[in-house]
Amino acid sequence: MTAGRAAALLGLVLTLGACGGPDRATNEAAAQLAYRRGFEAIGTGDWLTAEQYLLQAKQAFPDDPYVLLNLGVVAQRLGRFDEARRYYQQVVDRAPDVVPVQVSDPKASGKTLADLARADLATLPN
């Protein structure tokens, strides 16, 4: 299994605070739901649906490394390699030390999100 698939199967729910009142809490809850649905769509190989949901999550959480990594995976699977490269590089730049607590692929255990993104970057065509 590639690092991208391992990253896509991370199964971690975004842990984001709901500060700032009911509207913000509602928006964050909707974004978390969109992330989960995007993650589920990745699991079934429905890349366009995954992209739709992940982009919704990105609107609320533009710097979230899990969202960015999964958007990279989706872009790569859709053959949009320059876009995938940009998403992966953002993960490398913004989350150099983030280690997922839970992964579904044992090969990804102990690796940072940046490590997974670098591995995916290495698989992209020039």
Side-chain angles (χ1 to χ4, degrees):
M1 175 175 282
T2 68
R5 283 191 222 122
L9 299 174
L10 285 172
L12 294 177
V13 177
L14 299 174
T15 51
L16 304 160
C19 305
D23 288 341
R24 181 169 174 165
T26 299
N27 290 342
E28 288 183 357
Q32 289 175 349
L33 178 60
Y35 176 80
R36 285 192 298 273
R37 287 183 175 162
F39 180 81
E40 290 168 2
I42 286 173
T44 65
D46 188 350
W47 307 112
L48 293 174
T49 298
E51 180 179 47
Q52 176 186 12
Y53 284 122
L54 291 170
L55 286 173
Q56 288 175 20
K58 186 178 181 289
Q59 286 179 348
F61 309 113
D63 297 322
D64 185 277
Y66 295 98
V67 173
L68 296 171
L69 185 62
N70 282 305
L71 278 167
V73 169
V74 168
Q76 183 172 2
R77 296 297 285 209
L78 291 172
R80 299 193 313 243
F81 303 121
D82 289 338
E83 184 180 341
R85 192 173 282 108
R86 285 190 299 271
Y87 283 127
Y88 292 146
Q89 191 60 54
Q90 288 179 54
V91 174
V92 169
D93 295 341
R94 296 178 183 173
D97 301 321
V98 177
V99 177
V101 176
Q102 178 183 3
V103 295
S104 60
D105 183 352
K107 293 178 185 174
S109 183
K111 294 183 179 178
T112 66
L113 292 181
D115 292 335
L116 298 174
R118 279 188 207 93
D120 285 341
L121 277 167
T123 67
L124 293 173
N126 294 329

